[in-house]
Amino acid sequence: MADPLEALFTVLREYPGLVTAYSGGADSALLAWAAHEVHGPRALAITAVSASLPARERAGARDFARRYGLRQVEVCTDELDRAEYRANGADRCAHCKSALMAALVPIAEAAGVPVALGTNLDDLGDHRPGQRAAAERGARFPLVDAGFTKDDVRETSRQLGLRTWDKPAAACLASRVPYGTAVTLGVLESVAVAEAALHRLGFRQLRVRHYGDLARVELEAADMPAALDQREDIVRVVQEAGYRYVTLDLEGFRSGNLNGALQGRSS
């Protein structure tokens, strides 16, 4: 553990302090924790609150911050007010990150510190226009600079005893909507309600992909037998969220799989 963690501390010591874009996921939680260890009161974890942030994730971010003594604040972001974001083109994430940076940069500038995102090396290979938009606004990527992969984040967090070490990946709710389908408050609420209900049924890693009145549920392959056993409950709770048809994706959970449509693959 000492080597990757010390590499991260070394990167963070180059800054006078840090504003971390903090969602409460494994990456941003480790970064916010490390920034707090290095900079104390000069480290601030900021959670962007909007309709695309599941209530479960917001609550988890608050709980983690309280448990580990992080300075955390919440700010509202306006991505849903932006027509380009709602249009949900291939550059949707760029408009989201622009809204995020518009909220965080003034706070960071007032404190004389940079803004950092919890991007790791594995994130660099996917379709991530948001990273480019954030970098153009001056965002830093300490985990990348310290050489962290996703596995490094999880293993370091495990050895530190951070409870986020095995936290399931949780992208924003808009990532459940195929490119070209408008992102609206109603769509995000339907996805949020359906996923929250499935979590209550005991499923941990999941996505509800939105296709109009059809929901495509992605679960871990190991959860497929349980899903079939609870088929009636799954159909009921997803339909209560506003969907007419409920399907189970036999390929199982794949983070970011809607990006396949950008290369002409099935999504």
Side-chain angles (χ1 to χ4, degrees):
M1 179 186 68
D3 289 343
L5 186 60
E6 186 54 41
L8 180 57
F9 283 165
T10 297
V11 170
L12 294 176
R13 291 186 190 108
E14 297 175 0
Y15 310 142
L18 201 66
V19 163
T20 299
Y22 167 67
S23 67
D27 299 322
S28 68
L30 175 61
L31 179 58
W33 176 90
H36 174 73
E37 289 293 302
V38 171
H39 294 295
R42 295 282 290 170
L44 181 63
I46 301 184
T47 302
V49 177
S50 73
S52 66
L53 178 69
R56 174 189 178 96
E57 296 302 310
R58 183 179 182 181
R62 287 175 172 174
D63 290 345
F64 182 93
R66 282 195 294 265
R67 178 168 181 170
Y68 297 104
L70 309 184
R71 291 181 61 227
Q72 184 211 13
V73 299
E74 296 179 342
V75 298
C76 294
T77 52
D78 66 355
E79 63 267 25
L80 204 57
D81 294 334
R82 302 182 178 212
E84 299 89 349
Y85 175 86
R86 296 194 305 273
N88 196 21
D91 61 347
R92 183 199 67 236
C93 288
H95 301 295
C96 180
K97 284 297 186 292
S98 292
L100 173 68
M101 295 299 289
L104 269 56
V105 165
I107 298 172
E109 288 181 343
V113 303
V115 174
L117 272 59
T119 302
N120 65 67
L121 287 173
D122 291 332
D123 295 328
L124 302 182
D126 198 3
H127 174 70
R128 304 269 180 159
Q131 293 175 7
R132 187 165 55 253
E136 290 171 354
R137 293 292 303 274
R140 311 294 179 86
F141 305 99
L143 294 176
V144 171
D145 294 340
F148 272 70
T149 64
K150 174 62 77 175
D151 286 345
D152 292 329
V153 168
R154 293 196 180 280
E155 178 59 17
T156 300
S157 298
R158 185 189 68 80
Q159 294 191 36
L160 288 169
L162 303 183
R163 63 183 184 181
T164 49
W165 77 270
D166 64 344
K167 187 176 185 294
C172 79
L173 291 173
S175 68
R176 279 57 155 180
V177 186
Y179 293 115
T181 299
V183 174
T184 67
L185 180 59
V187 166
L188 297 178
E189 287 178 343
S190 291
V191 172
V193 171
E195 290 194 352
L198 292 173
H199 282 301
R200 288 193 295 272
L201 290 178
F203 299 102
R204 192 161 181 258
Q205 180 72 83
L206 61 93
R207 294 286 187 271
V208 173
R209 307 293 185 186
H210 174 91
Y211 291 86
D213 59 359
L214 182 148
R216 192 178 82 189
V217 179
E218 295 179 11
L219 302 172
E220 295 277 15
D223 288 332
M224 296 289 187
L228 293 178
D229 289 341
Q230 299 181 67
R231 177 176 61 84
E232 293 182 356
D233 288 334
I234 290 173
V235 171
R236 174 179 54 80
V237 299
V238 176
Q239 287 183 337
E240 288 174 352
Y243 294 99
R244 182 175 182 182
Y245 304 105
V246 183
T247 65
L248 180 63
D249 190 327
L250 295 182
E251 288 190 82
F253 169 79
R254 287 100 68 213
S255 182
N257 85 70
L258 294 183
N259 288 338
L262 301 176
Q263 287 82 41
R265 300 194 303 273
S266 172
S267 63

PDB file of all heavy atoms in Angstrom, residues 7 10 53 62-63 80 82 84 92 121 127 152 181 200 216 227 245:
ATOM      1  N   ALA A   7       2.797   7.903  -3.422  1.00  0.00           N
ATOM      2  CA  ALA A   7       2.820   8.600  -4.707  1.00  0.00           C
ATOM      3  C   ALA A   7       1.678   9.608  -4.790  1.00  0.00           C
ATOM      4  O   ALA A   7       1.849  10.729  -5.280  1.00  0.00           O
ATOM      5  CB  ALA A   7       2.722   7.595  -5.854  1.00  0.00           C
ATOM      6  N   THR A  10       2.471  12.528  -2.567  1.00  0.00           N
ATOM      7  CA  THR A  10       3.488  13.379  -3.192  1.00  0.00           C
ATOM      8  C   THR A  10       2.859  14.316  -4.213  1.00  0.00           C
ATOM      9  O   THR A  10       3.190  15.505  -4.280  1.00  0.00           O
ATOM     10  CB  THR A  10       4.557  12.503  -3.865  1.00  0.00           C
ATOM     11  OG1 THR A  10       5.217  11.719  -2.870  1.00  0.00           O
ATOM     12  CG2 THR A  10       5.591  13.364  -4.588  1.00  0.00           C
ATOM     13  N   LEU A  53     -28.062  12.936  -9.851  1.00  0.00           N
ATOM     14  CA  LEU A  53     -27.401  12.292  -8.711  1.00  0.00           C
ATOM     15  C   LEU A  53     -28.423  11.493  -7.925  1.00  0.00           C
ATOM     16  O   LEU A  53     -29.353  12.067  -7.351  1.00  0.00           O
ATOM     17  CB  LEU A  53     -26.749  13.334  -7.803  1.00  0.00           C
ATOM     18  CG  LEU A  53     -26.072  12.782  -6.540  1.00  0.00           C
ATOM     19  CD1 LEU A  53     -24.824  11.984  -6.903  1.00  0.00           C
ATOM     20  CD2 LEU A  53     -25.717  13.913  -5.570  1.00  0.00           C
ATOM     21  N   ARG A  62     -22.486  11.951   1.993  1.00  0.00           N
ATOM     22  CA  ARG A  62     -22.573  12.649   3.281  1.00  0.00           C
ATOM     23  C   ARG A  62     -22.056  11.765   4.414  1.00  0.00           C
ATOM     24  O   ARG A  62     -21.294  12.224   5.283  1.00  0.00           O
ATOM     25  CB  ARG A  62     -24.024  13.037   3.563  1.00  0.00           C
ATOM     26  CG  ARG A  62     -24.578  14.173   2.739  1.00  0.00           C
ATOM     27  CD  ARG A  62     -26.054  14.339   3.049  1.00  0.00           C
ATOM     28  NE  ARG A  62     -26.624  15.525   2.432  1.00  0.00           N
ATOM     29  CZ  ARG A  62     -27.933  15.802   2.467  1.00  0.00           C
ATOM     30  NH1 ARG A  62     -28.769  14.985   3.089  1.00  0.00           N
ATOM     31  NH2 ARG A  62     -28.384  16.907   1.893  1.00  0.00           N
ATOM     32  N   ASP A  63     -22.480  10.508   4.424  1.00  0.00           N
ATOM     33  CA  ASP A  63     -22.091   9.597   5.497  1.00  0.00           C
ATOM     34  C   ASP A  63     -20.589   9.374   5.526  1.00  0.00           C
ATOM     35  O   ASP A  63     -19.960   9.371   6.595  1.00  0.00           O
ATOM     36  CB  ASP A  63     -22.817   8.258   5.336  1.00  0.00           C
ATOM     37  CG  ASP A  63     -24.307   8.352   5.622  1.00  0.00           C
ATOM     38  OD1 ASP A  63     -24.736   9.370   6.207  1.00  0.00           O
ATOM     39  OD2 ASP A  63     -25.046   7.417   5.247  1.00  0.00           O
ATOM     40  N   LEU A  80     -29.150  20.372 -16.302  1.00  0.00           N
ATOM     41  CA  LEU A  80     -30.454  20.082 -16.903  1.00  0.00           C
ATOM     42  C   LEU A  80     -31.097  21.326 -17.512  1.00  0.00           C
ATOM     43  O   LEU A  80     -32.037  21.205 -18.301  1.00  0.00           O
ATOM     44  CB  LEU A  80     -31.381  19.458 -15.854  1.00  0.00           C
ATOM     45  CG  LEU A  80     -32.537  18.591 -16.368  1.00  0.00           C
ATOM     46  CD1 LEU A  80     -32.028  17.454 -17.241  1.00  0.00           C
ATOM     47  CD2 LEU A  80     -33.356  18.044 -15.212  1.00  0.00           C
ATOM     48  N   ARG A  82     -29.441  23.210 -19.491  1.00  0.00           N
ATOM     49  CA  ARG A  82     -28.682  23.430 -20.723  1.00  0.00           C
ATOM     50  C   ARG A  82     -29.248  22.585 -21.859  1.00  0.00           C
ATOM     51  O   ARG A  82     -29.309  21.345 -21.762  1.00  0.00           O
ATOM     52  CB  ARG A  82     -27.203  23.106 -20.490  1.00  0.00           C
ATOM     53  CG  ARG A  82     -26.583  23.946 -19.372  1.00  0.00           C
ATOM     54  CD  ARG A  82     -25.120  23.657 -19.189  1.00  0.00           C
ATOM     55  NE  ARG A  82     -24.548  24.505 -18.137  1.00  0.00           N
ATOM     56  CZ  ARG A  82     -23.312  24.946 -18.114  1.00  0.00           C
ATOM     57  NH1 ARG A  82     -22.468  24.609 -19.098  1.00  0.00           N
ATOM     58  NH2 ARG A  82     -22.878  25.711 -17.131  1.00  0.00           N
ATOM     59  N   GLU A  84     -28.045  21.741 -24.671  1.00  0.00           N
ATOM     60  CA  GLU A  84     -27.097  20.790 -25.250  1.00  0.00           C
ATOM     61  C   GLU A  84     -27.023  19.517 -24.400  1.00  0.00           C
ATOM     62  O   GLU A  84     -26.857  18.417 -24.926  1.00  0.00           O
ATOM     63  CB  GLU A  84     -25.711  21.422 -25.355  1.00  0.00           C
ATOM     64  CG  GLU A  84     -25.655  22.654 -26.246  1.00  0.00           C
ATOM     65  CD  GLU A  84     -25.941  23.944 -25.474  1.00  0.00           C
ATOM     66  OE1 GLU A  84     -26.388  23.849 -24.304  1.00  0.00           O
ATOM     67  OE2 GLU A  84     -25.723  25.022 -26.036  1.00  0.00           O
ATOM     68  N   ARG A  92     -22.636  14.859 -24.336  1.00  0.00           N
ATOM     69  CA  ARG A  92     -23.422  15.224 -23.154  1.00  0.00           C
ATOM     70  C   ARG A  92     -22.547  15.419 -21.917  1.00  0.00           C
ATOM     71  O   ARG A  92     -22.723  16.377 -21.160  1.00  0.00           O
ATOM     72  CB  ARG A  92     -24.460  14.137 -22.852  1.00  0.00           C
ATOM     73  CG  ARG A  92     -25.375  14.474 -21.662  1.00  0.00           C
ATOM     74  CD  ARG A  92     -26.057  13.239 -21.099  1.00  0.00           C
ATOM     75  NE  ARG A  92     -25.116  12.335 -20.484  1.00  0.00           N
ATOM     76  CZ  ARG A  92     -24.965  11.052 -20.811  1.00  0.00           C
ATOM     77  NH1 ARG A  92     -25.707  10.535 -21.773  1.00  0.00           N
ATOM     78  NH2 ARG A  92     -24.059  10.297 -20.202  1.00  0.00           N
ATOM     79  N   LEU A 121      -6.494   5.911 -14.213  1.00  0.00           N
ATOM     80  CA  LEU A 121      -5.923   5.547 -15.513  1.00  0.00           C
ATOM     81  C   LEU A 121      -6.885   4.736 -16.371  1.00  0.00           C
ATOM     82  O   LEU A 121      -6.921   4.894 -17.594  1.00  0.00           O
ATOM     83  CB  LEU A 121      -4.631   4.753 -15.308  1.00  0.00           C
ATOM     84  CG  LEU A 121      -3.415   5.551 -14.843  1.00  0.00           C
ATOM     85  CD1 LEU A 121      -2.267   4.604 -14.508  1.00  0.00           C
ATOM     86  CD2 LEU A 121      -2.974   6.560 -15.901  1.00  0.00           C
ATOM     87  N   HIS A 127     -14.939   6.516 -23.666  1.00  0.00           N
ATOM     88  CA  HIS A 127     -15.429   7.772 -24.250  1.00  0.00           C
ATOM     89  C   HIS A 127     -15.733   8.737 -23.107  1.00  0.00           C
ATOM     90  O   HIS A 127     -16.715   8.564 -22.397  1.00  0.00           O
ATOM     91  CB  HIS A 127     -16.674   7.501 -25.082  1.00  0.00           C
ATOM     92  CG  HIS A 127     -17.323   8.750 -25.611  1.00  0.00           C
ATOM     93  ND1 HIS A 127     -16.751   9.528 -26.592  1.00  0.00           N
ATOM     94  CD2 HIS A 127     -18.503   9.356 -25.280  1.00  0.00           C
ATOM     95  CE1 HIS A 127     -17.553  10.552 -26.862  1.00  0.00           C
ATOM     96  NE2 HIS A 127     -18.610  10.466 -26.080  1.00  0.00           N
ATOM     97  N   ASP A 152      -6.042  -0.276  -8.197  1.00  0.00           N
ATOM     98  CA  ASP A 152      -5.218   0.390  -7.187  1.00  0.00           C
ATOM     99  C   ASP A 152      -6.081   1.180  -6.212  1.00  0.00           C
ATOM    100  O   ASP A 152      -5.830   1.201  -5.002  1.00  0.00           O
ATOM    101  CB  ASP A 152      -4.216   1.335  -7.848  1.00  0.00           C
ATOM    102  CG  ASP A 152      -3.150   0.615  -8.655  1.00  0.00           C
ATOM    103  OD1 ASP A 152      -2.789  -0.515  -8.280  1.00  0.00           O
ATOM    104  OD2 ASP A 152      -2.699   1.181  -9.665  1.00  0.00           O
ATOM    105  N   THR A 181     -31.654  10.264 -27.188  1.00  0.00           N
ATOM    106  CA  THR A 181     -32.917  10.327 -26.438  1.00  0.00           C
ATOM    107  C   THR A 181     -32.815  11.456 -25.421  1.00  0.00           C
ATOM    108  O   THR A 181     -31.855  11.504 -24.648  1.00  0.00           O
ATOM    109  CB  THR A 181     -33.190   9.002 -25.702  1.00  0.00           C
ATOM    110  OG1 THR A 181     -33.301   7.942 -26.657  1.00  0.00           O
ATOM    111  CG2 THR A 181     -34.475   9.090 -24.891  1.00  0.00           C
ATOM    112  N   ARG A 200     -33.486  -2.060  -3.083  1.00  0.00           N
ATOM    113  CA  ARG A 200     -34.217  -2.531  -1.907  1.00  0.00           C
ATOM    114  C   ARG A 200     -34.547  -4.013  -1.999  1.00  0.00           C
ATOM    115  O   ARG A 200     -34.720  -4.682  -0.970  1.00  0.00           O
ATOM    116  CB  ARG A 200     -35.499  -1.711  -1.713  1.00  0.00           C
ATOM    117  CG  ARG A 200     -35.253  -0.289  -1.231  1.00  0.00           C
ATOM    118  CD  ARG A 200     -36.524   0.369  -0.751  1.00  0.00           C
ATOM    119  NE  ARG A 200     -37.491   0.566  -1.816  1.00  0.00           N
ATOM    120  CZ  ARG A 200     -37.534   1.637  -2.598  1.00  0.00           C
ATOM    121  NH1 ARG A 200     -36.645   2.614  -2.436  1.00  0.00           N
ATOM    122  NH2 ARG A 200     -38.448   1.751  -3.540  1.00  0.00           N
ATOM    123  N   ARG A 216     -34.562  -1.696 -19.576  1.00  0.00           N
ATOM    124  CA  ARG A 216     -33.659  -2.824 -19.744  1.00  0.00           C
ATOM    125  C   ARG A 216     -32.787  -2.910 -18.494  1.00  0.00           C
ATOM    126  O   ARG A 216     -31.967  -2.030 -18.220  1.00  0.00           O
ATOM    127  CB  ARG A 216     -32.781  -2.625 -20.986  1.00  0.00           C
ATOM    128  CG  ARG A 216     -32.017  -3.887 -21.389  1.00  0.00           C
ATOM    129  CD  ARG A 216     -31.205  -3.635 -22.639  1.00  0.00           C
ATOM    130  NE  ARG A 216     -29.939  -2.980 -22.324  1.00  0.00           N
ATOM    131  CZ  ARG A 216     -29.106  -2.476 -23.238  1.00  0.00           C
ATOM    132  NH1 ARG A 216     -29.434  -2.521 -24.503  1.00  0.00           N
ATOM    133  NH2 ARG A 216     -27.973  -1.913 -22.876  1.00  0.00           N
ATOM    134  N   ALA A 227     -32.710 -12.986  -9.773  1.00  0.00           N
ATOM    135  CA  ALA A 227     -33.631 -12.140 -10.535  1.00  0.00           C
ATOM    136  C   ALA A 227     -34.805 -12.952 -11.054  1.00  0.00           C
ATOM    137  O   ALA A 227     -35.959 -12.490 -11.039  1.00  0.00           O
ATOM    138  CB  ALA A 227     -32.891 -11.464 -11.682  1.00  0.00           C
ATOM    139  N   TYR A 245     -42.880  -2.032 -20.031  1.00  0.00           N
ATOM    140  CA  TYR A 245     -42.213  -3.301 -20.307  1.00  0.00           C
ATOM    141  C   TYR A 245     -40.913  -3.370 -19.505  1.00  0.00           C
ATOM    142  O   TYR A 245     -40.176  -2.380 -19.389  1.00  0.00           O
ATOM    143  CB  TYR A 245     -41.901  -3.439 -21.795  1.00  0.00           C
ATOM    144  CG  TYR A 245     -43.115  -3.293 -22.686  1.00  0.00           C
ATOM    145  CD1 TYR A 245     -43.319  -2.132 -23.427  1.00  0.00           C
ATOM    146  CD2 TYR A 245     -44.062  -4.306 -22.776  1.00  0.00           C
ATOM    147  CE1 TYR A 245     -44.428  -1.989 -24.246  1.00  0.00           C
ATOM    148  CE2 TYR A 245     -45.178  -4.173 -23.590  1.00  0.00           C
ATOM    149  CZ  TYR A 245     -45.363  -3.004 -24.317  1.00  0.00           C
ATOM    150  OH  TYR A 245     -46.465  -2.862 -25.115  1.00  0.00           O
TER     151      TYR A 245
END
